[in-house]
Amino acid sequence: MSRLLRSSLVHAAFGFLLMGGWTLWANHAHGLVWGAAIAQGLLSAGLTALLKKTLERLDGRFSGLVALALPPAITASAILATLTIVHQLIGTPELLATIAFPWTMSTLYAIAYNARLVADRRKTAP
């Protein structure tokens, strides 16, 4: 069971369903906006993997408080821009409601995961 919970595919599928479902709910007054829901699901799955890799690549490039703050700020900004542009291009009716939850969750994930990376690196430093 623990192997299943660590699976990137399981995480991507969960993100797809959760954030795609959120998009359907956020736009429910406009009917079933399947295009926006599928787009958000795919974005969530892909951006989560990219977010994780980016934080890992940035780990160790900064020190002090900058190491804690800058990597999540970089990824949060990039994800906000990506979500905004994609949903504007496809005409998602409730833009702010649609992107608020996935952006907040990805930013919180980035802060927590980056903090763990920094803490792990500090533990192993001479």
Side-chain angles (χ1 to χ4, degrees), residues 22 39-40 45 70 81 83 106 113:
W22 167 260
Q40 182 58 55
L70 191 57
L83 293 175
S106 67
Y113 187 64

Side-chain angles (χ1 to χ4, degrees), residues 35-59:
I38 291 169
Q40 182 58 55
L42 292 171
L43 283 167
S44 292
L47 288 174
T48 299
L50 185 59
L51 166 68
K52 183 177 178 291
K53 289 291 184 194
T54 301
L55 291 171
E56 290 167 351
R57 287 192 178 137
L58 291 173
D59 185 43

